[in-house]
Amino acid sequence: MNRTIGMLMIVIGSAMLIWTGFTYTKKEKIIDAGPIQVSADKQESVNWPPYLGGILLVGGIVVLVNAKKS
């Protein structure tokens, strides 16, 4: 079980170091006046700090090494 968690932390930490975030498009209603509706596409972004991926990577390595000793 700990080995699986360690491997998962390593994979997620590596991915977070490579990709520091992502963007997505969201439709937003600008005007809603009866039968007339005007909408616009708005880009939203989700970002995380790269050091968080490093912490997960190192933590996963520590968990994996400790799981092999048991």
Side-chain angles (χ1 to χ4, degrees):
M1 181 69 177
N2 283 342
R3 235 176 130 203
T4 306
I5 292 172
M7 291 296 284
L8 189 63
M9 286 174 66
I10 290 171
V11 169
I12 292 172
S14 299
M16 287 178 75
L17 283 173
I18 294 170
W19 295 288
T20 58
F22 61 92
T23 59
Y24 62 95
T25 305
K26 179 176 147 182
K27 278 205 176 287
E28 188 173 284
K29 210 179 277 188
I30 305 295
I31 298 173
D32 189 9
I36 300 171
Q37 292 182 358
V38 177
S39 61
D41 292 339
K42 184 178 179 185
Q43 281 195 342
E44 299 282 335
S45 64
V46 177
N47 295 318
W48 49 79
Y51 64 83
L52 189 60
I55 291 171
L56 273 174
L57 182 65
V58 170
I61 292 170
V62 168
V63 168
L64 191 63
V65 167
N66 285 334
K68 285 188 177 183
K69 288 182 180 178
S70 300

